[in-house]
Amino acid sequence: MRYTALLVGLLWLTGMAKAQNNLDVKIDNIKNDDGELLIGLYADGHNFPRKTTDGRIVKASKDGVTVSFHDLIPGLYAISVLHDENSNKDMDQNKIGIPKEGFGFSNNARASFGPPSFDKAKIILHSKDTLISIDLRYLLSKK
C-alpha cells in the first residue's frame, strides 16, 4: 500500500514538473489599435487551425503585443493569430475569399490558398520557457 501511494505521488510530481513550461508569443507588425487579437494554441495537427487547445483574446496594439501560455507539456505546438479589427470573432474576407484582416502563424509560416500546414507552423517546446515572434500579414489594405 505504501509503495502504491509513493508511486502515485512521484507520478503526480513528475507530471507537474513536465507541465511547468511557458510559451511567450510576441506579435508584431500590427497595423493599428483597432479591435482584438485572437491567438490560438494548437497541440494537434488534425485540428489546426480550426479547434484550439487554448486561446487568448487581447486588445490590439500597433506597438506589439506579447501573450503567454503557461504550464505546457513539452512537445509540438502551433500558433495562429487573427487581427479581428471589427471584433466580430471572425476572419472577414472579400468576395473571392481574400482575408481583409491581418493574420499570422508560428514560424511566420506562409498561407497560400488557405492556412499553412501544421508541419510548417509547428514549434518544439522543450522543457524550458520559449519565446517566439509572429509578424502579422495584411493582404488587403483598408480603405
Side-chain angles (χ1 to χ4, degrees):
M1 185 70 166
R2 280 188 197 174
Y3 178 74
T4 303
L6 179 61
L7 182 60
V8 169
L10 286 174
L11 288 174
W12 181 78
L13 286 173
T14 303
M16 290 298 289
K18 288 182 181 177
Q20 301 272 335
N21 305 297
N22 299 315
L23 173 61
D24 294 323
V25 181
K26 186 175 185 311
I27 303 159
D28 290 310
N29 197 36
I30 302 167
K31 182 169 63 173
N32 56 50
D33 296 332
D34 298 342
E36 306 164 322
L37 299 178
L38 310 179
I39 302 105
L41 172 75
Y42 306 85
D44 182 346
H46 297 291
N47 292 318
F48 178 77
R50 301 289 178 233
K51 185 177 179 188
T52 61
T53 301
D54 196 358
R56 302 283 184 274
I57 299 174
V58 297
K59 175 79 177 104
S61 172
K62 63 184 175 188
D63 296 328
V65 171
T66 300
V67 297
S68 299
F69 295 91
H70 300 284
D71 299 326
L72 299 175
I73 296 169
L76 299 177
Y77 294 90
I79 300 286
S80 71
V81 181
L82 170 65
H83 182 186
D84 186 14
E85 292 180 73
N86 58 5
S87 299
N88 68 351
K89 307 292 188 271
D90 198 14
M91 177 183 271
D92 295 331
Q93 302 174 3
N94 69 6
K95 291 179 182 178
I96 61 171
I98 297 174
K100 293 180 177 180
E101 298 173 305
F103 61 90
F105 300 95
S106 41
N107 291 331
N108 286 313
R110 303 290 257 184
S112 69
F113 303 107
S117 68
F118 183 81
D119 282 340
K120 288 183 180 178
K122 73 183 176 190
I123 56 168
I124 301 171
L125 181 64
H126 297 286
S127 57
K128 60 180 179 177
D129 293 346
T130 302
L131 170 67
I132 66 166
S133 294
I134 297 176
D135 292 322
L136 294 190
R137 294 184 62 218
Y138 295 84
L139 301 180
L140 298 174
S141 49
K142 196 174 185 179
K143 295 181 180 178

